Amino acid sequence: MSALKVNNLFRYFGQLKAVNGVSFEVPQGSVCGFVGENGAGKTTTMRILATLDHPTMGRAEVCGHDVTQKPAEVRRMIGWMPDHFGNYDHMTVIEYLDFYARALGYKGEERRKRIAEVMDFTDLGPLSDRFSNKLSKGMTQRLGLGRALL
């Protein structure tokens, strides 16, 4: 089974062809890069794969689940980390991750364990009491990764 499968994908915004017949496949367990010129359709394709947008035509699958037919299953399989994401004044790193863990439905000990795993993986533990809007750009990206991993 493929981790990602995109077949003849199109996304139009009026006359603008943001994605124009893209096809590719990524085998499970592999690492790949998605590169191209500005305006080539990379972000739009990723938004479709993350179920944040719909294709005009074509098909996209994540771990065998069609992104338009089974979006809930796809969302359980992936995390989305955009270039820019919201930070909140006066919310510490641990409060930020706890907020998103609660929003995702984690409860009690499972929530605390998952947050601890994410903080350990992203090496955010030493920053747990720092305000999330006062982090360096690199640490802010780690916080975004932590949110996506939750």
Side-chain angles (χ1 to χ4, degrees):
M1 181 187 307
S2 298
L4 300 175
K5 187 184 281 190
V6 175
N7 188 22
N8 209 24
L9 195 67
F10 291 83
R11 179 63 170 109
Y12 299 154
F13 297 97
Q15 296 297 313
L16 175 68
K17 295 178 181 179
V19 178
N20 193 16
V22 172
S23 296
F24 63 89
E25 193 167 338
V26 179
Q28 283 188 351
S30 64
V31 176
C32 73
F34 195 37
V35 295
E37 295 179 17
N38 289 344
K42 299 177 302 290
T43 299
T44 302
T45 300
M46 294 304 295
R47 288 181 52 81
I48 291 169
L49 287 167
T51 73
L52 299 173
D53 198 358
H54 293 285
T56 303
M57 292 182 290
R59 184 174 170 92
E61 295 179 2
V62 174
C63 296
H65 300 288
D66 185 286
V67 299
T68 58
Q69 302 298 316
K70 304 277 186 176
E73 287 84 351
V74 169
R75 290 181 193 130
R76 282 193 279 277
M77 304 295 296
I78 63 169
W80 170 259
M81 185 179 148
D83 291 338
H84 304 285
F85 54 91
N87 248 341
Y88 303 102
D89 293 344
H90 310 296
M91 185 179 275
T92 65
V93 167
I94 190 76
E95 290 169 338
Y96 182 90
L97 292 175
D98 186 62
F99 173 80
Y100 280 97
R102 288 172 189 266
L104 291 165
Y106 287 102
K107 294 181 172 53
E109 185 58 33
E110 179 189 23
R111 186 181 80 249
R112 287 184 285 280
K113 181 181 176 195
R114 186 67 186 128
I115 291 169
E117 290 171 350
V118 165
M119 289 188 72
D120 183 54
F121 182 81
T122 57
D123 200 27
L124 287 170
L127 304 175
S128 64
D129 293 329
R130 295 262 309 266
F131 287 116
S132 62
N133 66 332
K134 301 295 183 191
L135 300 173
S136 69
K137 182 175 180 178
M139 290 299 136
T140 300
Q141 289 299 102
R142 285 188 190 191
L143 184 59
L145 175 61
R147 176 178 154 185
L149 290 171
L150 283 173

